[in-house]
């Protein structure tokens, strides 16, 4: 908690996520670190309730007075109004998910759809002979979940790059080698996340690969597969860098995870906002895109990645 | 003979009411002391204090010569003081036995011994002549039967001092007689009893000594020889009451209420038929559970009848809801006044004007406060409701005045037929006389009055005609001239004349 | 009413403290936003107060908000319905929901808690199923319609401050509700039945009908609130839209002096209660207090106000009256 | 008990139907998982039934589950406490929470709904604030401890099936609870006070004490459940852990024959109720029905069972009236 008034000399910038999740906790660390480095005060907000909470938080931050906001729109198409208001009153950049039609100054991050494509590639590697796949997620309707999933599906079905489909989350999609069985949601209830995996293993004992779309889903998949004694028979691929996920990769029981480097999202966003607050517009690239690439972490590179992560998060 | 109990200079203040104001009371060994007084005189408060349910603000209590502090029910019980409550307070999800021994279950360690409990309870109930099993859930017992459970519960305590706060208010004659037999037995066994009742006949029959309270103060006492009806009334109200109604019979008018083959939900197999005329006052007598309340409720549409034909002033009515009955010109003063008759947390005006809201509404929708105030004023005067102002909460009024509020609520609608269920239950003599006068006046003005009552004295005193019920059936009809206590009991118990002989 | 005095003072106190802590509290932008939110939440609060006055409860409000929002977005953007048709159908839907609650409670004699708990589950499930958990939004095509939820009316005498349209809607609805409750025969009957359903029936009041009406009103207000919430945020996520709103509404009603025992409460109190909740949340955020403490502070304030209320009531001696005259 | 017959039959029906629909329903893996979940949820259900029998309600259960889970993970992994110390403190914490509820309800005479609604807000907020919304996990260091939540005991006569440890814990706790409720004087007093507080008080029963005990038991069971849930999922997110669990628990209790009016209910019924809910969810999932319909089906089943219950009760009442022989 930052105190108001006294430290008023330092510009204040805000960093807004789209859910309460470990992903955003790591991003917060990066944002705070950058805040210290660049001499700005950082306000971090995570909405419990998606778009409704975001709107309220934005309004309150604008009232509180901030010189810049890094925003991860929960529903970019429908939040244009809100972003216009923000852009009018302060410096607005988007991060994590983009809203190209909005008047944001730039976007920090990587397309979740591309991350999904990357995930699809990993599934193919893990399961070269083909098989069936089930997705697990907290909220299927949330944009990042939708894009990650769609990227993954498009990749698995061998659809060409640049061709974005829109498959309903719970429908079965059959490709030549790979079958996507559907998506199970849990409303961020961890117990439900786990029992969803268990029920899937019961229903589809021959399933090939389980995919966790939200950061906590992968460890829950790991738990359930472990208890079912199915390590090796069922592949696990996921997103984000939870400790349990990385540990699973070290053991070789999780094939790989797609990491988006949330720490860097936070850090870069605040760096740019800090510069903007001081009137420095040069930080905005012409492409309006500050890429923080997603990458795959597999058994080979997990140790190095983890060490690096620990260093950053300390 | 030393005193068993001696309470000296008790004070008890409630917000706005001084319930006890320097009251003293003694009870000797084996003595039966009756405490009388008008509604709100402080009788129940005094008894609650002696039973440990409430603590006095000031005053001393000695029991068997020792100064005692009655800090709770258990403290009082362990001394040997037991209370039969005026209000029936039972847990109706338990059976009779469970209620009788509630809080004092026979136990082994922490476990209940159900069988032992049931046997003991059954013995107590049999002793009282209550014809039901100790395993009967209380939810299935009638009001009178519940009262028996309360009494059995107090008896089970093996107390030295038994306090009975209006134990007979919902008992029939026969049950009352049973109770009196039990009381006689207990006294022989050495118990002392404090007995409260508004039925002065009972008091006269039972009491060794009478103590009267008035407005929370001692108002004197009477020894066994001095006990007469008039003397007691004088002590209670501080003046003589005018005698009962004039005896001449009114000429009956045309029929206003005609009931043909009415079948109620409680007694689906039996039919009830009768007629009541304009200006007639008809008593409905019977034992507890005979179905009187059921008939009244069915007529009023609270519990719609299964079948039958009812005509009010020539118009057919089979009410599915009280609203329909009201529209047809019926009104019911229910038995359970506090739960069903009035809204205790609301004011006198609020209560009185409730039924006329719609009639007086501005544009048929908006509440007309002025009309309500005028009505309350008018009825308050007419019924002589004792309340500080129209804004006084009804819960703070005495029972008699609450009953007047219920009556007032209906009189404003000028019903053709007034139904009353136990109109004077728990009401003191003074207020009772006023209620009777009111009923008389209404009848004289042409209203048809049908009242159910368990007090034979009352039935005999004010009815033009008596209907008697037995097990859901109308077992007889007696004209004023025919009606005697004996005849009514015969019909109420279902005995024919020859059986009696 | 005297009853609202304490909480009004508290509201004032919070406002003054916040304004001192951060002067931006009073700028038009914040004031308008705040009033906007207060209005939206107060609409559902006013609705639930009818039900609370009858001694009932409605746990399904949040799910109704979610379902109505989802339906509206779905009808407009996926089914291409016209605006009036979609509005009409969603409002009717919510009224029908209330009707079903009322019928189950009065005719089948189920408990309000059970009925509306099932409602909470069912409507949420239906909303999610309808759109397969997808997020729906109005995009930019319905900016005209959205005026109802985020329009601002310029008034000459208010200077920089403008009047949020939802506040106007609330004023109209709350005004009607207050007249209904305090001035009409039905309102009086509603209070009577809240005090004692049986006694009300014995007085010739059609209690069943009134109970049904109160549930219909409650759900309808929730439905209207649901439409405004959806329009205001412009996007609806069926799994979370409106989650827990019933608790906010009930808390506001309790803060505002409604007794869950029935028979007590008023419209003004509910609005003040809602305002207190929203302003507390607002000030926590604009004063930079940790957001996580939002719930803690809210809970503590409600608890303290309930305690104060009870202590005052007891001193006034009304309680004793109640225990002095046990009923039934 | 006759009362549980209907729901037991329904349970059987759902099981048979699911087993026919997907034979995997009966394989050891699924059976064990199912029993595991049933046990965890039933523990909190048994807890809440004490409170429901007194005629009260506890809305804070889910937040207690969240707070206890968060505390446990925090104490063990961040504060480096020993396992017994951390377990002890979390259980005591939950008991103290129940104590506070009980005191507020009996001594200050607040309504259970209000007190525990505030609890719901406060404990959730405290949990989130404690770890700044971070997710905490036990990692692999506590696999021994986790045996309590996901251990399986091999029994010779069960063949491939193993006994989940939580089921053993539930059996012990439920057994104690059942003996307490049905065999001891306290249990009987609890039922009496649930139906009529006055009757109990006038009989010299310390009703306040009993009410407090019931809230302490409820919160403690929620705390034990919270520990097991946290261990079972191995990570705790304070903002969502346990959300809505009070509603599951209350729904299970209602399904199992507890009346929210107080004075009625039993342990076996609650367990069967929980089993029905969990098995329904399981079968929806393994039969491949859309997950979104889970809530709908759950809501409809609870509603239907409440309606059936009420209709049976009413018919029974009518029959008794008919056969009742009037005394005289
Ligand atoms: N708990 C209480 N709180 C406030 N006032 C009370 C309480 N109990 C009794 N009173 C008041 O004290 C007075 C005495 O009441 P009490 O019940 O002792 O009268 P009573 O003589 O038993 O009357 P009744 O014949 O109607 O039973 C009444 O005015 C009553 O309203
Ligand atoms: N709600 C009820 N539940 C069960 N039985 C009932 C109920 N109401 C009445 N009864 C039964 O119906 C019968 C008739 O009762 P009712 O109250 O009509 O008798 P009554 O003659 O008016 O007696 P009372 O003197 O008690 O008023 C009794 O046997 C009673 O036990
Ligand atoms: Mg009395
Ligand atoms: Mg009767």
């Amino acid at each position: 908690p930052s105190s108001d008034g006294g430290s008023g000399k330092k510009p204040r910038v805000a960093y807004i996520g789209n859910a309460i999740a470990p992903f955003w906790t790591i991003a917060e660390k990066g944002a705070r670190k950058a805040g210290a480095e660049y001499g700005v005060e950082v306000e971090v907000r995570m909405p419990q309730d998606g778009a409704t909470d975001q709107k309220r938080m934005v309004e309150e931050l604008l009232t509180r007075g901030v010189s810049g906001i890094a925003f991860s729109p929960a529903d970019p198409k429908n939040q244009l109004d809100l972003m216009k208001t923000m852009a009018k009153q302060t410096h607005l950049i988007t991060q994590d998910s983009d809203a190209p039609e909005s008047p944001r100054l730039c976007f920090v991050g990587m397309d979740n759809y591309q991350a999904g494509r990357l995930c699809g590639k990993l599934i193919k590697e893990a399961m070269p002979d083909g098989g069936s796949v089930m997705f697990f997620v907290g909220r299927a309707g949330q944009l990042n979940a939708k894009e990650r999933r769609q990227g993954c599906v498009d990749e698995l079905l061998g659809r060409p790059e640049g061709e974005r489909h829109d498959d309903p989350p719970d429908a079965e999609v059959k490709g030549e080698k790979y079958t996507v069985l559907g998506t199970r949601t849990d409303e961020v209830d961890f117990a439900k996340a786990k029992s969803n995996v268990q029920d899937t293993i019961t229903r589809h004992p021959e399933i090939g690969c389980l995919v966790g779309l939200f950061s906590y889903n992968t460890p829950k998949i790991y738990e359930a597969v472990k208890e079912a004694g199915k390590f090796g028979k069922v592949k696990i691929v996921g997103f984000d860098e939870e400790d349990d996920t990385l540990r699973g990769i070290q053991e070789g029981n999780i094939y790989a995870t797609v990491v988006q480097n949330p720490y860097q999202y936070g850090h870069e966003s605040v760096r740019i906002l800090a510069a903007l607050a001081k009137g420095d517009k040069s930080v905005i690239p012409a492409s309006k895109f500050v890429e923080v690439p997603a990458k795959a972490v597999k058994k080979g590179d997990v140790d190095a990645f983890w060490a690096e992560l620990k260093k950053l998060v300390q | 003979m030393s005193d068993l109990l001696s309470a000296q200079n008790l004070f008890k203040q409630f917000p706005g009411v001084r319930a006890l104001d320097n009251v003293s009371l003694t009870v000797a060994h084996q003595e039966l002391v009756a405490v009388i007084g008008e509604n709100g005189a402080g009788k129940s408060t005094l008894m609650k204090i002696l039973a440990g349910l409430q603590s006095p603000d000031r005053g001393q209590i000695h029991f068997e010569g020792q100064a005692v502090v009655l800090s709770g029910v258990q403290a009082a019980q362990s001394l040997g003081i037991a209370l039969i409550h005026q209000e029936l307070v039972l847990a109706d999800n338990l059976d009779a036995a469970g209620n009788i021994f509630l809080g004092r279950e026979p136990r082994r360690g922490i476990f209940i011994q159900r069988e032992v409990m049931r046997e003991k309870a059954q013995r107590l109930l049999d002793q009282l002549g209550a014809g039901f099993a100790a395993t009967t859930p209380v939810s299935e017992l009638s009001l009178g039967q519940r009262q028996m459970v309360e009494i059995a519960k107090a008896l089970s305590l093996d107390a030295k001092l038994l306090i009975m706060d209006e134990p007979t208010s919902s008992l029939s004659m026969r049950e009352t007689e049973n109770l009196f037999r039990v009381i006689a037995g207990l006294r022989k066994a050495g118990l002392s009893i404090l007995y409260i009742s508004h039925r002065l006949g009972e008091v006269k029959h039972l009491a060794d000594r009478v103590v009267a309270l008035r407005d929370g103060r001692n108002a004197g006492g009477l020894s066994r020889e001095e006990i007469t009806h008039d003397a007691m009334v004088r002590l209670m109200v501080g003046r003589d009451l005018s005698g009962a109604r004039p005896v001449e019979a009114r000429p009956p008018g045309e029929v206003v209420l005609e009931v043909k083959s009415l079948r109620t939900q409680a007694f689906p197999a039996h039919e009830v038929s009768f007629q009541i005329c304009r200006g007639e006052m008809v008593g409905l007598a019977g034992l507890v559970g005979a179905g009187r309340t059921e008939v009244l409720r069915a007529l009023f549409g609270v519990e719609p009848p299964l079948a039958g034909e009812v005509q009010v002033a020539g118009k057919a009515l089979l009410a599915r809801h009280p609203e329909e009955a009201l529209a047809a010109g019926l009104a019911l003063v229910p038995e359970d006044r506090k739960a069903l008759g009035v809204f205790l947390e609301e004011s006198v005006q609020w209560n009185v004007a409730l039924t006329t809201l719609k009639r007086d509404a501005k544009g048929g929708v908006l509440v007309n406060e002025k009309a309500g105030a005028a009505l309350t004023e008018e009825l308050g005067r007419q019924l002589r409701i004792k309340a500080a102002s129209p804004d006084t909460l009804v819960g703070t009024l005495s029972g008699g005045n609450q009953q007047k509020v219920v009556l007032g609520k209906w009189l404003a609608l000028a019903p053709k037929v007034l139904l009353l269920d136990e109109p004077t239950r728990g009401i003191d003599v003074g207020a009772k006389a006023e209620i009777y006068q009111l009923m008389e006046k209404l009848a004289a003005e042409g209203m048809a009055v049908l009242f159910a009552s368990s007090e034979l004295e009352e039935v005999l005193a004010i009815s033009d005609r008596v209907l008697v019920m037995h097990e859901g059936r109308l077992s007889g009809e007696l004209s004023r001239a025919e009606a005697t206590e004996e005849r009514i009991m015969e019909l109420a118990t279902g005995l024919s004349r020859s059986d009696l002989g | 009413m005297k009853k609202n005095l304490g909480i009004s003072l508290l509201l004032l106190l919070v406002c003054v403290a916040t304004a001192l802590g951060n002067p931006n509290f009073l700028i038009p932008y914040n004031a308008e936003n705040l009033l906007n939110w207060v209005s939206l939440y107060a609409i559902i609060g006013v609705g639930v107060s009818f039900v609370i006055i009858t001694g009932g409860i409605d746990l399904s409000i949040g799910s109704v908000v979610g379902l109505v929002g989802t339906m509206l977005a779905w009808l407009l953007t996926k089914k291409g319905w016209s605006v009036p048709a979609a509005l009409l159908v969603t409002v009717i839907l919510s009224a029908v929901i209330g009707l079903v609650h009322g019928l189950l409670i009065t005719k089948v004699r189920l408990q309000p808690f059970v009925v509306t708990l099932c409602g909470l589950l069912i409507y949420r499930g239906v909303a999610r199923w309808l759109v397969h958990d997808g997020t729906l939004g109005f995009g930019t095509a319905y900016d005209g319609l959205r005026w109802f939820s985020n329009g601002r009316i310029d008034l000459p005498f208010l200077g920089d401050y403008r009047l949020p349209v939802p506040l106007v809607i609330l004023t109209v609805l709350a005004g009607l509700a207050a007249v209904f409750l305090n001035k009409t025969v039905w309102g009086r009957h509603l209070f009577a039945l809240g005090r004692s359903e049986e006694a009300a029936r014995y007085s010739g009041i059609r209690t069943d009908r009134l109970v049904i009406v109160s549930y219909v009103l409650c759900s309808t207000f929730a439905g209207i609130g649901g439409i405004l919430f959806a329009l205001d945020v412009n996007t609806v996520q069926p799994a979370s839209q409106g989650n827990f709103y019933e608790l906010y509404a009930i808390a506001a009603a309790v803060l505002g002096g409604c007794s869950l025992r029935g028979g007590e409460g008023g419209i003004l109190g509910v609005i003040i209660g809602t305002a207190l909740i929203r302003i507390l949340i607002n000030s926590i955020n604009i004063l930079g207090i940790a957001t996580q403490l939002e719930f803690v502070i809210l809970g503590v304030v409600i608890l303290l106000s309930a305690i104060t209320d009870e202590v005052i009531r007891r001193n006034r001696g009304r309680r004793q009256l109640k225990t002095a005259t046990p009923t039934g």
Side-chain angles (χ1 to χ4, degrees), chain B residues 319-335:
Chain B
R320 318 295 311 168
H321 191 278
E323 196 196 30
E324 293 169 14
L326 276 179
L330 287 178
L332 171 68
V333 174
E335 186 173 12

Side-chain angles (χ1 to χ4, degrees), chain C:
Chain C
M1 279 212 288
K2 225 196 227 162
K3 201 153 188 192
N4 296 326
L5 193 69
I7 175 172
S8 305
L9 285 178
L10 185 59
L11 183 68
L12 202 69
L13 192 82
V14 174
C15 287
V16 172
T18 314
L20 290 177
N22 187 339
N24 283 349
F25 178 69
L26 294 174
I27 59 172
Y29 178 71
N30 192 54
E32 287 168 15
N33 286 335
L34 198 49
L35 286 177
N36 214 55
W37 288 114
V38 169
S39 307
L40 293 189
Y41 283 97
I43 287 172
I44 59 178
V46 167
V48 84
S49 63
F50 291 112
V51 161
I52 292 181
I53 286 171
T54 70
I57 197 101
D58 191 343
L59 299 179
S60 73
I61 292 174
S63 293
V64 171
V65 167
L67 177 59
V68 164
T70 309
M71 277 284 280
L72 183 69
W74 183 71
L75 288 177
L76 287 178
T77 64
K78 300 275 161 177
K79 299 274 134 186
W81 285 35
S82 72
V83 170
L87 287 180
L88 195 71
V89 163
T90 46
V91 171
I92 288 178
L93 171 75
S94 47
V96 168
I97 285 176
L99 183 67
V100 172
H101 291 171
L103 287 173
L104 286 171
I105 289 163
T106 56
K107 302 301 175 194
V108 194
R109 306 247 136 239
L110 298 185
Q111 291 188 313
F113 194 101
V114 176
V115 171
T116 57
L117 171 61
C118 294
L120 180 156
L121 295 170
I122 295 173
Y123 315 138
R124 176 69 59 201
V126 170
R128 293 179 50 193
W129 173 78
L130 193 67
V131 299
H132 299 280
D133 265 338
T135 304
L136 285 184
F138 302 95
T140 49
Y142 294 94
D143 283 358
L145 179 58
R146 292 188 60 214
W147 177 82
F148 284 113
S149 69
N150 59 12
R152 300 281 186 269
I153 300 169
D154 268 311
L155 286 179
F157 50 88
L158 283 181
D160 283 348
Y161 293 83
R162 292 166 309 160
L163 193 65
V165 175
L167 185 59
V168 178
I169 299 177
L170 170 69
T171 312
V172 171
L173 290 177
L176 288 176
V179 168
F180 175 85
L181 272 182
N182 303 320
K183 299 287 171 200
T184 70
V185 176
W186 306 309
R188 181 66 62 89
H189 286 176
L190 207 63
F191 279 104
L193 110 86
R195 284 270 186 235
S196 163
E197 214 211 306
E198 277 276 279
R201 202 151 55 88
Y202 271 84
S203 302
I205 296 172
R206 293 268 179 187
T207 51
D208 283 4
R209 245 182 242 174
L210 272 175
V211 169
I212 294 173
V213 166
S214 73
Y215 280 90
V216 169
L217 285 174
C218 178
S219 291
T220 309
F221 274 57
I224 295 173
I227 291 174
L228 294 177
F229 272 111
L231 291 175
D232 192 46
V233 187
N234 206 30
T235 142
V236 182
Q237 199 172 62
S240 63
Q241 175 89 351
N243 256 348
F244 282 120
Y245 282 14
E246 58 278 348
L247 297 187
Y248 284 122
I250 295 168
V254 169
L255 267 178
C258 287
S259 160
L260 292 179
R261 298 181 183 96
E264 263 170 58
I267 299 300
L268 187 64
V270 178
I271 295 176
I272 300 178
T274 311
L276 180 60
I277 293 180
R278 299 317 309 173
I279 289 180
L280 265 177
I281 292 180
N282 185 257
S283 64
I284 289 166
N285 281 293
I286 70 172
L287 291 181
I289 301 168
T291 9
Q292 291 88 9
L293 287 179
E294 201 177 283
F295 275 12
V296 180
I297 294 175
L298 210 58
V300 170
V301 166
I302 298 174
L303 195 58
L304 287 181
S305 112
I307 293 175
T308 321
D309 203 53
E310 188 54 37
V311 170
I312 290 174
R313 184 190 308 221
R314 214 183 301 182
N315 287 349
R316 217 188 297 144
R318 269 189 95 157
R319 272 206 63 76
Q320 267 129 337
L321 168 65
K322 267 193 190 162
T323 55
T325 50
T327 49

